Amino acid sequence: MRIITKYFLIVVFLYNTFAIVFTAGDSGTAHDEWYYRWVGKIYWNTHKFFENQEHPPVAKLLGAALPVLLKKDNSIYYRLPHLLLFLMAGIWVTLYFYFKKNYFTSMIFSLLYFFNPSFKAFASLNVTDFVVSLLLALSAFIMYINFNFTYVFFSSFVLGLALNTKFSALFYLPFFAIAFFYNSYYRGRRIDLKQMLYNAFISLLAIALAFIICYHFQFSELINYWQGIVYQFKHNTSGHLTYLFGELSRGGFWYYYLMLFIFKTPIIMLLIFIILLAFINRLSFVLFYLPALGFLFILSKMDIQSGYRYALPFIMFLVFGSAVSAVSAVSTIDKNKNKNINIKQNKIIIAIIVLFIIAVISIEDVYTLNTSSYMSYFNQFAPTPTRNFADSNIDWGQDIPKHLMERDLDLQKSKRLEENWSNYFLSKANEFIIRIGASELTMVWGNPLARFFKQLTPIKIVAGYEIFKVNKAQLFDFLLNHNHPYYETPIINFKNKKLENNFIIQDADLNFIHSFDSEFYVSKSDANKDRSILLIEFAPLLEEEMSNWMLFLDNKRIYQKNDLYQHLEFGNMIKSVWKQLTPGKHKISLFIDKIKTQKKKLKFKIFYIRNDSAKLIITT
């Protein structure tokens, strides 16, 4: 068994080193990565932590360490420390079980950890979610190994690092306290109050040391940690747009993470988790299963549910707990040696089952790496992922992996959906191949015009993106048969209340100093049963930077600044609106008051579109 396990682990380590390095270099930049790269360099260069207070600094410092040290701004350098942490921690835990001669456990842990698609998806990015999950589980695992002075110190220090990675680590504190006191009794079989108080002091000292180191010994900067906690409370109060099974909500769904766990975990892994539940002992329950259940419950009750990545602590504790349960399973088999059971035959059966599990998981992992991406992975039970899931569950703006683009001609010709549809009508081409991610299709964020494509059948679906082939006539029909996005936006529950328009601009309050207008004529033949459209495109700025403006068609207001802001509440940056035209003479007028910023300008382009051609009639 030792020899088989040895060579199996070597193959696992080598393959997963290749897989995660390949993934890190093959995938595009996810949404949060852009900001974390910039912020991490600020932390290292200035030792100031006022930027991005909503997340503590560890993951950002980790990602920016190599670029700052080597003075090279390459995306792979930001990701390399994260994937090294994934590999080194996984190898250390696996070898711990191996050298304890728990060969079966080392194999089970390596399968559950290294072949989990979600772990590899986020460990290959410069983000916070995998790092905090791993640190929390390692803190508990160090307590599992031993509970003497040294291990208490390192367990608490690792917890301190987790607390400085993401604020969700704070949820673990009561479970850490329970594990701490249980270990104090479990190891000695009695309560030694003096020793317990001493260990508690060492624990607090280690956590405090982690805080001081993470904030570069700048004690005054620790105020940013408190301000980040305050921000997160406010954020949870306002909620976050969540999509699941065709429904949008700002209050989340109680079954959100449970459904994602069922559909984003390989089926064979689900079976392993279920089987090993039969071998839970009190120590594994307190250290791993209790925190796992706690995280699942707390996260399911929160209003912020923006992706499976938030539930990675639950999965990580479950993986570590299952490994410890595997130790109990082997012990149970060994205890039966004196009974009338053919141990040799049972071990052969177990070996065959393990080999089958290894084959299934390995083949599925290789298939995912070759034909899709780890982030967009869903098992065979999941309903159409691109129509039922969104955000970092499947599409976090990372685009289709490079190796898939290089070997598919349609993907090479495809382009992301234009924010300004006039580009299609101004183009000489008549047919376009467009790729749209699940998050845009479901209107969670991105281009609101993407929702029109849900009525079409894609020519293919690749790594969380649907690929469409359309022509100008189809794009024109989209505009012709729908109102502009503001009026088409579905009603979204906000704390069980309908979102109301709190932005009203009174004509008397405005002092317009710029005006643009144009007259044009739509003949009956041109209209062709109202087949003419007025398309307005603009580049919206932040509220404090944007001027007041109003848009009039035939002396009737059709749009104003704060219509835009009501739409922004739904998470979509709207840059195009349109209105159907009737035959006759029309006048379009745009009024703008003075620009509030010297660096940016409010840009408008207004087109008259007839069938498949566009004519610019106003620009600012």
Side-chain angles (χ1 to χ4, degrees), residues 597-613:
T597 174
Q598 298 297 321
K599 296 181 180 180
K600 296 183 179 180
K601 294 181 179 180
L602 185 63
K603 296 181 179 179
F604 275 82
K605 286 185 177 181
I606 302 176
F607 296 87
Y608 165 44
I609 298 180
R610 180 173 59 84
N611 291 329
D612 59 355
S613 62

Side-chain angles (χ1 to χ4, degrees), residues 107-273:
M107 295 173 73
I108 288 295
F109 176 80
S110 65
L111 285 172
L112 296 178
Y113 178 86
F114 284 108
F115 289 93
N116 189 300
S118 296
F119 287 175
K120 283 194 277 195
F122 294 101
S124 62
L125 300 176
N126 177 32
V127 292
T128 62
D129 307 281
F130 175 80
V131 178
V132 69
S133 306
L134 179 61
L135 291 175
L136 289 173
L138 286 177
S139 175
F141 186 70
I142 293 170
M143 274 199 285
Y144 165 77
I145 295 174
N146 206 316
F147 200 66
N148 62 24
F149 163 82
T150 304
Y151 285 86
V152 168
F153 178 85
F154 281 107
S155 173
S156 302
F157 183 78
V158 172
L159 172 61
L161 294 178
L163 293 171
N164 282 281
T165 302
K166 195 165 185 175
F167 288 115
S168 57
L170 291 169
F171 297 144
Y172 177 61
L173 288 179
F175 303 106
F176 178 81
I178 293 171
F180 183 90
F181 289 114
Y182 180 79
N183 265 281
S184 298
Y185 167 77
Y186 180 81
R187 302 291 182 178
R189 298 298 179 185
R190 63 187 180 86
I191 297 197
D192 186 337
L193 185 60
K194 182 179 178 180
Q195 184 65 35
M196 186 182 295
L197 291 175
Y198 178 71
N199 285 343
F201 172 75
I202 295 301
S203 178
L204 292 174
L205 188 66
I207 293 173
L209 180 62
F211 269 82
I212 293 170
I213 292 174
C214 291
Y215 281 90
H216 295 183
F217 298 92
Q218 305 294 316
F219 292 95
S220 61
E221 292 298 309
L222 290 171
I223 187 63
N224 292 292
Y225 194 85
W226 170 251
Q227 290 174 344
I229 293 175
V230 172
Y231 170 86
Q232 290 296 344
F233 271 108
K234 292 180 179 178
H235 188 194
N236 186 59
T237 302
S238 62
H240 193 92
L241 193 63
T242 303
Y243 179 89
L244 185 67
F245 299 144
E247 294 184 44
L248 284 164
S249 172
R250 274 197 177 273
F253 307 92
W254 68 266
Y255 49 86
Y256 182 76
Y257 292 110
L258 184 59
M259 290 295 100
L260 288 170
F261 171 63
I262 292 172
F263 292 127
K264 284 191 71 68
T265 304
I267 295 171
I268 201 76
M269 283 190 186
L270 290 174
L271 294 175
I272 294 174
F273 287 139

Side-chain angles (χ1 to χ4, degrees), residues 34-44 48 51-52 60 64:
W34 291 107
Y35 191 34
Y36 291 165
R37 292 174 184 177
W38 176 69
V39 171
K41 288 191 290 186
I42 289 178
Y43 291 168
W44 281 115
K48 301 294 182 182
E51 288 286 351
N52 192 231
K60 291 167 282 187

Side-chain angles (χ1 to χ4, degrees), residues 307-342:
Y308 190 48
R309 57 195 175 93
Y310 279 45
L312 287 187
F314 159 67
I315 311 302
M316 191 68 74
F317 276 113
L318 195 58
V319 167
F320 275 76
S322 297
V324 175
S325 294
V327 175
S328 299
V330 173
S331 299
T332 302
I333 293 174
D334 289 340
K335 287 178 182 178
N336 290 324
K337 285 183 177 180
N338 298 325
K339 297 182 179 180
N340 296 324
I341 297 176
N342 190 331

